[in-house]
Amino acid sequence: AALAYHLFRTVVPGGAILGVLQLTICGGALGCGVGFVLSLLTLRVDDPQVESTFTAIAAYGSYLLGEALHVSGILAVVAAALIMGSYGRTRGMSERTQTAVSAFWDYVAFVLNSLVFLLVGLELPWTGILEHGWAVLAAAGITLLARAISVYGVLGLLRPLGPRLSWRWQHLMVWSGLRGAVAIALALSLGEQTAGDFPLLRTLVYGVVLLSIVVQGLTIGPLSRALLKPDAIDVGDRGP
């Protein structure tokens, strides 16, 4: 709906809301169905290779099926993974199969992350980042501020419900919110959009990801050691 509004400047609020509900609810239901069916198949098979293939079908098959049916493929994948992980894995997979599936997806994640950052290196608009340097810095600051509001705000609301998480851990959670593969993949999905603000949008995304990896990625280790060392003062005990 947001993309349609940006391109055509026309959107029907009621239709947009109905479309979002259809995408989310139907996508989740589709993923649950795919995950449940494949979980039942894992109950009848005891072969690590075959069951690893089932998980791959759950991931990529539910996404492609969701896109074909014009519902959210992403939510279909999430729902299928939740069902496979909570039902199929615990009831239908042996310990040997669980180890094999974990190793398989660890490798897939490694390969896909490597490919995404290879695309970053090939597509990174250096001239655009230098030209819009202040805008990139502002966007990076806004994303960090948004994460700080979400972390401090949510944990503040949850404080009356249970033990309080120390401020040191909250600071670390805010700073550890690195941007990477997901943001780049979304930007690359707009590759055919060359008019309007899309080139600037991709420049901002690449710039924020680059700053996140370089600045936050290189400093998260020293910061965690400084905040979590045994003799550090637990500022969480003081609180504002």
Side-chain angles (χ1 to χ4, degrees):
L3 182 59
Y5 175 77
H6 183 84
L7 292 176
F8 307 110
R9 300 299 179 185
T10 57
V11 65
V12 179
I17 294 174
L18 182 62
V20 170
L21 291 176
Q22 179 182 354
L23 286 173
T24 55
I25 296 176
C26 295
L30 175 65
C32 288
V34 172
F36 184 71
V37 170
L38 291 173
S39 295
L40 292 179
L41 292 178
T42 62
L43 295 173
R44 300 177 178 274
V45 178
D46 185 18
D47 186 290
Q49 285 76 28
V50 174
E51 292 175 88
S52 296
T53 304
F54 288 160
T55 61
I57 293 173
Y60 298 103
S62 57
Y63 178 82
L64 294 175
L65 186 58
E67 291 295 307
L69 297 177
H70 304 291
V71 300
S72 176
I74 297 296
L75 290 180
V77 173
V78 172
L82 289 174
I83 298 299
M84 288 289 291
S86 60
Y87 180 72
R89 180 184 177 93
T90 56
R91 297 194 179 188
M93 295 184 185
S94 64
E95 184 175 348
R96 181 185 63 156
T97 299
Q98 293 184 27
T99 302
V101 168
S102 298
F104 168 74
W105 282 107
D106 285 343
Y107 178 72
V108 171
F110 167 77
V111 171
L112 294 181
N113 274 293
S114 300
L115 290 176
V116 167
F117 287 107
L118 178 61
L119 290 175
V120 172
L122 295 174
E123 298 285 340
L124 189 64
W126 287 105
T127 56
I129 290 177
L130 295 177
E131 180 182 354
H132 302 286
W134 289 111
V136 171
L137 290 175
I142 291 172
T143 57
L144 188 61
L145 177 62
R147 181 169 179 84
I149 292 174
S150 64
V151 170
Y152 296 136
V154 171
L155 292 178
L157 293 174
L158 295 177
R159 184 177 299 176
L161 302 179
R164 178 176 57 180
L165 188 66
S166 73
W167 286 102
R168 291 184 296 170
W169 279 104
Q170 293 186 43
H171 300 332
L172 195 60
M173 289 174 63
V174 171
W175 194 250
S176 63
L178 277 69
R179 273 73 189 175
V182 174
I184 293 296
L186 290 174
L188 290 174
S189 69
L190 304 175
E192 297 182 358
Q193 301 290 343
T194 57
D197 298 328
F198 283 101
L200 176 59
L201 174 64
R202 286 197 296 270
T203 298
L204 293 177
V205 170
Y206 288 131
V208 170
V209 170
L210 181 63
L211 286 177
S212 174
I213 294 173
V214 174
V215 178
Q216 293 170 250
L218 294 178
T219 58
I220 188 65
L223 179 63
S224 63
R225 289 191 292 270
L227 289 176
L228 303 179
K229 61 183 179 180
D231 57 342
I233 298 175
D234 190 354
V235 293
D237 294 336
R238 298 180 178 180

